[in-house]
Amino acid sequence: MKDRLVIRGGKALQGEVRVSGSKNSAVAVLAAALLCDGVCIVENLPMIEDVCILKAMMEALGAQVELREGAVHVDATGVCCHHAPLELVRQMRASNYLIGALLGRLGKAQVGIPGGCDIGTRPMDLHEKGLRALGANIRLSRGEYVCVANQLTGAEIYLDQASVGASINIMLAACKAKGRTTIVNAAREPHVVDVANFLNSMGASIKGAGTDTIRINGVPRLHGSTYSILPDMIETGTWMAIAAATQGDITIRDCVPYHMESVSAKLMEMGMYVEEGEDYLRVKGTGRPHAISISTMYYPGFPTDLQQPFAVLLSVADGSSVITENIYESRYKYIDELRRMGAKVRVVDRIAMIDGVDALWGTAVSATDLRAGAALIVAGLMADGTTTISNVKYIDRGYERIEKKLQVLGADITRITE
Ligand code: EPU
């Protein structure tokens, strides 16, 4: 389907919105469910395109996956196939988790080089290094990783970068390995902790998730469990940007304010009002944002996945702002689209220099990836006139019914399905 979103901008959005379960957690937790030969019930699952693609891959491997309103029942008893369907693998980065999960479950995996958003080179060297250290034999054949391990054995693994994907993939394989695995310089993102908590709820023994050293004592088998996915921090940050950009007043419910500290701090630097409750955040626009600088970092730094929506906000700031993208080398593809809407941005390597303009104007633009799509929604909501966003399929990969949630807050947005 070639859907488009049509936004008539200029409305201050107001009211309450509930954050869905975390995309980046959900795709790893579902893959982790393959490790147990029983039934797992995963609640608070976001109903997004990436979850549907993963469901199809898991079914092709022999699992029974049933989606019921907000929860998924995974019966992985029948998992016997180790070859993931290539055409589906290529559609998302998180298909890489099938390697760790299948190695842990069957001792073998054949999974293509994963696809996903085109935001820069996305190497797999740290995944390979970690899984090899655990004893897996890995070779690349015709674009697919062919992996075999007769016996996975614990090891100490140092990650050259605190990669979310490599940390999770190694945890998946290591929780059924013989002996102890230590991941040094592990990623500390909340979704890494969520996956460790889920694995522990299945009987795994993982300590230290959320710090830079994760220790895993292998266990022979994992049992079924019921688990609820944590709220999506990137969706939360997107609503925060929308509240500020539209001069609105939005209360974001069922989020984890503690995960958003870098984002709240930056909004306050821009002069916005941010109120933190135990499980909610209220963000209120207070006029034109002050120009600031943002540098993306690993958690707890400012997330790369919110760089784009915040660049939009800064495009109308009262001066010149600088963004430094430290995680991905080409996450600025959306800037050309933003320029069509009147933004003044120059990009040199990983740095974007943004000169604030008085206002953006609506026009036809195209999402180049998931978060770029979210950024264009923010831009459309604050622009004068009508913005039409094509390539909505990218946005649907990570945001659940975004236009429905926006309509409740008073946005004039419609989806056109051709
Ligand atoms: N890296 C390597 N070698 C590797 C793996 C990663 O050099 O083997 C580098 C990457 O090139 C990058 C950095 O390490 O510079 C971080 O990459 P990471 O592995 O952490 O990213 P990922 O696991 O592929 C996840 C999210 C991304 C998010 C990043 C960073 C999922 C499914 N994806 O990707 O989410 O941007 O972490 O936080 O969890 C999104 O949601 O829009 C999205 C792209």
Side-chain angles (χ1 to χ4, degrees):
M1 275 190 297
K2 288 185 179 164
D3 289 8
R4 282 177 295 150
L5 288 174
V6 180
I7 304 172
R8 280 167 207 87
K11 295 200 162 180
L13 301 199
Q14 295 190 333
E16 296 196 357
V17 66
R18 189 195 158 268
V19 173
S20 303
S22 159
K23 164 182 99 73
N24 289 343
S25 188
V27 289
V29 162
L30 281 185
L34 292 174
L35 281 165
C36 105
D37 47 10
V39 178
C40 288
I41 300 172
V42 183
E43 296 167 345
N44 200 29
L45 195 79
M47 293 301 160
I48 51 176
E49 205 43 43
D50 273 11
V51 164
C52 297
I53 298 169
L54 189 54
K55 172 181 181 291
M57 282 193 273
M58 290 167 67
E59 286 170 341
L61 297 170
Q64 282 179 21
V65 187
E66 212 180 304
L67 292 177
R68 298 179 195 159
E69 194 56 33
V72 70
H73 294 234
V74 181
D75 184 350
T77 318
V79 169
C80 53
C81 173
H82 69 283
H83 190 179
L86 191 55
E87 70 283 6
L88 296 177
V89 165
R90 292 229 171 109
Q91 291 180 35
M92 60 190 280
R93 174 73 177 174
S95 39
N96 59 32
Y97 296 140
L98 295 176
I99 302 179
L102 287 171
L103 273 174
R105 177 67 193 272
L106 301 174
K108 53 187 177 175
Q110 187 168 340
V111 179
I113 297 174
C117 286
D118 180 10
I119 50 184
T121 47
R122 301 184 78 178
M124 288 284 290
D125 57 319
L126 300 173
H127 299 244
E128 290 180 44
K129 167 175 150 171
L131 297 171
R132 283 202 177 99
L134 297 178
N137 183 303
I138 303 177
R139 68 186 166 85
L140 202 52
S141 168
R142 295 171 185 248
E144 291 186 288
Y145 289 103
V146 182
C147 316
V148 184
N150 294 329
Q151 171 68 66
L152 291 168
T153 309
E156 175 154 331
I157 300 156
Y158 167 73
L159 297 181
D160 302 87
Q161 303 222 39
S163 155
V164 169
S167 302
I168 292 178
N169 227 345
I170 295 165
M171 271 195 319
L172 294 178
C175 63
K176 286 179 77 185
K178 200 171 161 198
R180 173 187 271 214
T181 298
T182 306
I183 309 174
V184 180
N185 196 28
R188 291 181 286 165
E189 269 68 1
H191 26 289
V192 176
V193 182
D194 210 33
V195 179
N197 288 341
F198 173 58
L199 289 165
N200 284 341
S201 78
M202 291 200 289
S205 170
I206 303 175
K207 293 200 170 75
T211 74
D212 56 15
T213 306
I214 300 179
R215 294 197 170 80
I216 307 136
N217 282 311
V219 294
R221 73 178 286 280
L222 297 177
H223 52 74
S225 141
T226 298
Y227 190 79
S228 185
I229 302 264
L230 99 167
D232 195 308
M233 62 180 284
I234 306 304
E235 187 195 340
T236 305
T238 308
W239 293 118
M240 292 169 85
I242 287 173
T246 64
Q247 293 304 310
D249 182 353
I250 302 181
T251 301
I252 305 154
R253 294 273 173 209
D254 293 344
C255 63
V256 185
Y258 169 69
H259 293 160
M260 307 308 302
E261 282 180 355
S262 62
V263 181
S264 299
K266 284 292 158 187
L267 274 177
M268 287 191 268
E269 257 185 65
M270 287 183 214
M272 302 300 157
Y273 173 84
V274 181
E275 181 185 314
E276 276 189 22
E278 205 165 297
D279 63 350
Y280 76 89
L281 279 163
R282 180 177 170 208
V283 178
K284 224 162 105 176
T286 52
R288 206 169 172 184
H290 303 318
I292 60 163
S293 61
I294 294 180
S295 217
T296 65
M297 309 265 253
Y298 296 111
Y299 184 85
F302 191 91
T304 170
D305 296 339
L306 288 173
Q307 178 254 102
Q308 300 96 321
F310 275 71
V312 173
L313 196 47
L314 292 175
S315 71
V316 294
D318 62 1
S320 301
S321 303
V322 177
I323 293 187
T324 309
E325 171 54 64
N326 291 306
I327 311 296
Y328 293 110
E329 76 275 11
S330 52
R331 213 169 191 181
Y332 286 129
K333 291 193 175 147
Y334 66 103
I335 294 285
D336 282 343
E337 301 302 297
L338 213 51
R339 282 200 195 104
R340 290 182 214 281
M341 299 179 73
K344 284 195 180 155
V345 190
R346 280 163 299 140
V347 175
V348 180
D349 297 329
R350 287 170 180 259
I351 295 178
M353 285 156 282
I354 307 171
D355 293 327
V357 294
D358 289 341
L360 299 182
W361 56 77
T363 186
V365 286
S366 177
T368 49
D369 64 69
L370 165 58
R371 307 300 170 190
L376 293 177
I377 290 180
V378 180
L381 290 169
M382 68 193 226
D384 294 337
T386 303
T387 301
T388 306
I389 305 174
S390 53
N391 264 338
V392 175
K393 60 180 185 196
Y394 289 121
I395 301 170
D396 292 337
R397 287 191 43 200
Y399 292 89
E400 186 180 5
R401 296 176 292 116
I402 189 137
E403 72 275 16
K404 296 268 183 299
K405 290 187 178 183
L406 284 163
Q407 283 160 358
V408 172
L409 295 169
D412 185 342
I413 178 169
T414 34
R415 180 184 286 256
I416 297 176
T417 302
E418 282 170 4

